[in-house]
Amino acid sequence: PPLTSPTQQSEDPPKKKRKRVPILKKKPHKGRWVGLLSLVYLAIILLVWYCIASISEEWWFSTALTYLPRAPWLLPAVILLVCSVVIHRKSIPFNVVSIIIVLWLIMEFNIPSGAVAGFSKRENLVIVSCNIQDYEPNFRKVLNEIIRQDPDVIAFQEARRIHPAFLEQYPDWHSLVVEQFVVCSRYPIKKIGTCESRAFQRVTALAVEIETPQGTIRLVNTHLMTARKGLIELSLGAIFSGEGPEEVEHFQRTREEEASDTWLFVSGISSESPLIIVGDFNMPSSSSIYEKNWSGYTNAFLATNWGYGYTSPCKSHRLWLEDTPWLRIDHILTNAHWQVHSCDIGKTNGSDHRFISARISLRD
């Protein structure tokens, strides 16, 4: 063979290296699942909101949604948000929107309607209302909070008598006890009448006249039937058999009849006088029954307060925290004669309901 020089050897082309074929890795599906679940849960949240806000107590399922705790709807959205941050950031907006809808619309965070009145030359009147549950478990806790409100008129439901501690604090006040209703005031009180509803064969309201420095006013102390007595029929077996939903819807129709009877009574005694309606309505302001009967009046909390203002239930429940109410079912309503300046909700659990108070005055 011919001899080659070292220079020639160095100029020989290098041997080609074999290319490694990359191993194809399967794309992870976790991100896709997080995105899909986030979108599906947003759709569920929108459906829940629609049921509560638009259907409400006209269907058994939306009735249950109206009265069950609403904060638990937050938990899946928060878990999905954390997963989105870690795995699939494109789905973050879906979960943020879900959380906003729950906190604002489903849990009914209130933004004042703008009807709050400013300074008035007329003297203010402070009204307090509370379902006192026969003064149990600790009326003195409630009373101490009420004293700080410096009230002019106090209305109790489920009272049936006047507690000795109340008489000690307000010995010179005027008072009236009819059925379960108690009305007390620093001004003279006169009974007008009671509403005896045919729906549940019970007295649902007491109407009185009060001679205040602002003139004669009328006050209605009311307590409507709770939805809970119908919802307890919703056991799993009753739902599948259809009996539970039928019982709930029948009970709701009866509640609606009772609310209508009470509204007719109030309309009959109010005439053109300054009117205040207080008490345990046993329904939130988003309720379809409330909308049909009471939306024509000014709701003191909706007009003046930010937040949730939950008033009940405060008792401990098997699957819920003690002293953590989740519904605003106690209200103070006024007709057009009044200006609403402020509204407060109690903070203690001396009863199953927090008290509600409002500072109002007659329009100039």
Side-chain angles (χ1 to χ4, degrees), residues 25-290:
K25 296 182 179 180
K26 292 182 178 180
K27 294 183 178 179
H29 294 289
K30 292 181 181 178
R32 293 180 187 176
W33 278 109
V34 170
L36 179 61
L37 288 173
S38 299
L39 188 58
V40 168
Y41 194 68
L42 175 58
I44 291 173
I45 288 300
L46 288 169
L47 182 61
V48 169
W49 172 46
Y50 175 77
C51 286
I52 292 173
S54 299
I55 305 175
S56 188
E57 301 193 56
E58 296 177 3
W59 180 37
W60 72 269
F61 184 72
S62 54
T63 299
L65 291 176
T66 297
Y67 288 98
L68 287 172
R70 305 180 189 182
W73 292 104
L74 271 177
L75 185 59
V78 171
I79 292 173
L80 285 169
L81 178 61
V82 173
C83 294
S84 299
V85 171
V86 176
I87 300 173
H88 192 253
R89 296 195 173 185
K90 290 182 180 179
S91 60
I92 290 176
F94 298 139
N95 297 305
V96 170
V97 171
S98 294
I99 290 171
I100 291 172
I101 291 173
V102 174
L103 288 173
W104 178 22
L105 300 174
I106 291 179
M107 294 177 63
E108 297 187 11
F109 182 92
N110 185 60
I111 298 174
S113 62
V116 57
F119 175 77
S120 173
K121 294 179 181 178
R122 305 289 292 271
E123 185 179 350
N124 291 333
L125 196 68
V126 178
I127 309 291
V128 173
S129 172
C130 185
N131 182 329
I132 211 64
Q133 298 260 304
D134 201 26
Y135 302 99
E136 296 293 338
N138 192 336
F139 174 66
R140 290 187 182 275
K141 289 176 70 174
V142 179
L143 182 60
N144 288 336
E145 277 198 299
I146 290 175
I147 291 169
R148 289 194 288 271
Q149 298 294 313
D150 191 20
D152 299 295
V153 180
I154 299 173
F156 290 144
Q157 304 87 46
E158 291 197 62
R160 296 180 179 85
R161 60 189 174 88
I162 299 177
H163 196 279
F166 186 93
L167 294 173
E168 290 175 10
Q169 182 63 39
Y170 300 105
D172 300 325
W173 274 36
H174 305 268
S175 61
L176 181 65
V177 181
V178 178
E179 296 279 337
Q180 59 161 302
F181 300 102
V182 172
V183 178
C184 303
S185 173
R186 63 175 77 242
Y187 311 117
I189 303 171
K190 175 186 174 183
K191 177 184 173 182
I192 299 176
T194 57
C195 174
E196 298 183 15
S197 173
R198 297 165 297 172
F200 292 105
Q201 299 297 317
R202 58 190 290 269
V203 175
T204 62
L206 165 68
V208 301
E209 275 188 350
I210 305 175
E211 298 292 337
T212 74
Q214 299 188 29
T216 302
I217 67 168
R218 295 189 171 187
L219 180 139
V220 176
N221 187 4
T222 187
H223 182 204
L224 302 179
M225 180 61 72
T226 175
R228 184 175 62 252
K229 292 184 178 180
L231 292 172
I232 59 176
E233 300 296 330
L234 286 179
S235 64
L236 196 59
I239 291 174
F240 284 114
S241 69
E243 293 179 2
E246 287 180 8
E247 286 291 332
V248 171
E249 291 184 358
H250 173 73
F251 192 81
Q252 290 303 107
R253 288 192 293 270
T254 311
R255 288 184 70 234
E256 187 169 351
E257 182 184 345
E258 180 190 68
S260 179
D261 288 344
T262 308
W263 177 82
L264 287 171
F265 169 76
V266 171
S267 301
I269 62 98
S270 62
S271 64
E272 297 300 319
S273 303
L275 175 67
I276 308 163
I277 311 165
V278 305
D280 177 8
F281 288 69
N282 265 315
M283 62 188 75
S285 55
S286 61
S287 158
S288 54
I289 299 177
Y290 180 99

